[in-house]
Amino acid sequence: MSGCHVVIAVYPVTLRQPPDWPVGPLPVDILDPRRPLVADRARRSTYYPPRTARLLYGTDAVPRRWHQVMQLVVDGVESIAAEVLLAQGNTGLLAIHLRATTGTPLDIVRSVARRWPDDLAISAERCVPGLAIETIGARPYTVAFTTERPMPQLYRHPRYLHWPHVDQWLWALASRTGPADHPPDLLRDTENKLRLSADWSALVLRDGVAFVGTRVDLGATDPFYGSAVGYVRSIYLDAVLIGQLQLHGIADLEEQLACTVIDTPTPASMSHLERAVTDFRHRLWWQHLSMHGVPNDLLTAHRQQHRLPERFEQILSEVQDFNQSVRDAHNLHAANAALLFSLATVPAGIAVATLQIVGRTTLWTYLAIALVVTGITAALLTTRTGRRAIQAIRRPN
């Protein structure tokens, strides 16, 4: 096969410490025959607005992104670079740029997805040795790009006879499946296809996004594909990273909500959750990334695949409902406390008024009135209203 390809595996990670790598995103060559350039931090910051750029690349005072160029071959797959994006504390994303020395990009994405035996599966620890990884989260998300030709037919069942080969490869690379892994539904599984131009298309699915060239790659003299692979490894990867941060952020909020409702349903815990929701909305929950169309289209398709808008609306609704119930319970508790205070103090107030009316009093008078007040208070507390108020005060929230 001829052409070019690259695969990027994106892992959610927690590091023990930031990496001792060069600061900033990976500088990627945009091999445009007319105007070659390097997509470094300064140039990418002109593509995205300041708020997005600060999250993706950090600042000189607060670095968030590190990169490392490497050349490590693991089971026929070459790790050519790695990037770390720490969105909050030591938690963030690890992106590993991969290239096949033998086989096809489909072999790489299937290996990343662990559809091969364990001894052939690609892992972050093997591809980036020495990184102080504390934990690795869910399955990695993959970004795949290829212009290789010829593209053989992958699905040979008669139902796929009229399915274009380019669309077959889009599906296979985005879903990380081969012909024997999962039979696709042509109507349902390709609805998020993005027709980027006459030269290439993209498909966003739950576990990956694929970019496939739709014509022959002319190599070093090609007027577009040299730029396209650079776009995928830089600004389009950045859009995927934002989508992954949103995905993992919403998953964390769902976990916090479950713990708050089940374990510690108190006003303090709800206030903590509200602060977490506000922080997520201000830092990550952006509808648009750039004035340019493709990153916004990628983010929109990614959000639809994971139903992020619906999930976030559900979180907001549940927080509002639970917050109202907690506050109602708190108000009821305060009302019951006021009722008990009234039941205990009103008879005493009547006794004081009685003593003022009587005028001259003796010790026996005080004792008699005290006994009467005690009896009245006890009688009031044993009424249905008094018992319910006492039970409400003693019942934990």
Side-chain angles (χ1 to χ4, degrees):
M1 300 178 73
S2 61
C4 60
H5 75 267
V6 67
V7 173
I8 306 169
V10 180
Y11 296 83
V13 295
T14 301
L15 303 182
R16 290 188 291 273
Q17 61 186 21
D20 187 19
W21 294 352
V23 176
L26 177 71
V28 177
D29 292 328
I30 307 296
L31 302 177
D32 188 339
R34 299 163 298 181
R35 189 170 62 100
L37 52 87
V38 177
D40 55 11
R41 171 181 160 184
R43 194 171 296 276
R44 293 196 215 182
S45 295
T46 64
Y47 188 87
Y48 286 111
R51 182 177 69 170
T52 308
R54 290 176 70 90
L55 176 65
L56 285 170
Y57 317 128
T59 62
D60 294 334
V62 184
R64 295 183 181 275
R65 189 89 165 257
W66 295 262
H67 70 273
Q68 181 67 55
V69 178
M70 60 186 68
Q71 191 173 5
L72 176 65
V73 178
V74 178
D75 295 331
V77 176
E78 182 182 10
S79 299
I80 57 179
E83 299 181 75
V84 167
L85 170 61
L86 296 181
Q88 193 168 23
N90 285 343
T91 301
L93 302 171
L94 167 65
I96 306 175
H97 299 243
L98 305 168
R99 184 168 53 203
T101 57
T102 60
T104 68
L106 182 57
D107 298 330
I108 301 180
V109 296
R110 294 184 71 243
S111 182
V112 169
R114 295 191 174 274
R115 298 187 185 277
W116 295 109
D118 288 342
D119 58 339
L120 296 178
I122 296 175
S123 66
E125 295 88 347
R126 299 178 68 191
C127 293
V128 191
L131 188 62
I133 299 176
E134 183 173 322
T135 59
I136 296 180
R139 292 186 303 173
Y141 194 84
T142 54
V143 180
F145 170 78
T146 183
T147 64
E148 299 192 9
R149 288 293 186 275
M151 284 188 174
Q153 180 179 357
L154 294 175
Y155 302 92
R156 301 186 178 278
H157 191 279
R159 74 166 69 98
Y160 305 123
L161 183 62
H162 300 291
W163 195 15
H165 293 190
V166 169
D167 290 352
Q168 292 186 24
W169 278 84
L170 279 172
W171 158 258
L173 291 173
S175 65
R176 305 169 337 175
T177 60
D181 297 327
H182 175 70
D185 185 324
L186 299 185
L187 295 179
R188 178 180 182 273
D189 293 329
T190 59
E191 59 185 10
N192 278 328
K193 179 180 177 181
L194 304 177
R195 302 184 184 277
L196 304 180
S197 72
D199 293 323
W200 63 335
S201 296
L203 178 64
V204 181
L205 296 180
R206 182 192 63 187
D207 295 323
V209 55
F211 299 84
V212 174
T214 56
R215 60 168 175 80
V216 176
D217 188 348
L218 302 179
T221 62
D222 193 277
F224 176 71
Y225 285 143
S227 302
V229 67
Y231 297 153
V232 171
R233 297 182 62 199
S234 58
I235 53 179
Y236 296 168
L237 171 63
D238 291 339
V240 171
L241 295 180
I242 293 290
Q244 284 291 289
L245 290 176
Q246 291 185 352
L247 170 63
H248 298 303
I250 284 182
D252 290 341
L253 289 178
E254 291 172 336
E255 177 67 20
Q256 291 183 50
L257 178 62
C259 293
T260 299
V261 172
I262 297 174
D263 299 332
T264 55
T266 63
S269 62
M270 181 53 59
S271 297
H272 179 76
L273 180 59
E274 287 179 323
R275 288 193 295 271
V277 171
T278 301
D279 178 70
F280 170 80
R281 175 184 282 173
H282 290 167
R283 287 192 313 112
L284 293 175
W285 193 240
W286 307 332
Q287 310 297 319
H288 302 284
L289 297 180
S290 168
M291 295 299 293
H292 306 274
V294 175
N296 295 327
D297 294 339
L298 291 174
L299 180 62
T300 299
H302 182 277
R303 289 154 62 102
Q304 291 174 349
Q305 278 292 309
H306 295 276
R307 294 180 172 84
L308 296 189
E310 295 87 343
R311 291 167 64 180
F312 189 54
E313 287 298 323
Q314 182 68 24
I315 290 173
L316 294 178
S317 177
E318 292 190 26
V319 167
Q320 182 179 3
D321 292 345
F322 184 71
N323 193 25
Q324 186 62 44
S325 67
V326 169
R327 286 175 178 167
D328 288 345
H330 180 72
N331 293 336
L332 180 60
H333 185 86
N336 287 322
L339 175 60
L340 286 179
F341 180 79
S342 299
L343 293 177
T345 56
V346 168
I350 296 175
V352 172
T354 302
L355 289 174
Q356 292 177 346
I357 294 174
V358 171
R360 292 185 59 188
T361 57
T362 63
L363 177 62
W364 295 106
T365 304
Y366 283 113
L367 291 175
I369 291 178
L371 289 174
V372 171
V373 168
T374 302
I376 294 175
T377 302
L380 290 175
L381 293 178
T382 56
T383 61
R384 181 180 179 183
T385 301
R387 291 196 306 271
R388 293 182 63 180
I390 293 174
Q391 291 173 357
I393 288 292
R394 297 178 60 183
R395 185 182 302 117
N397 289 333

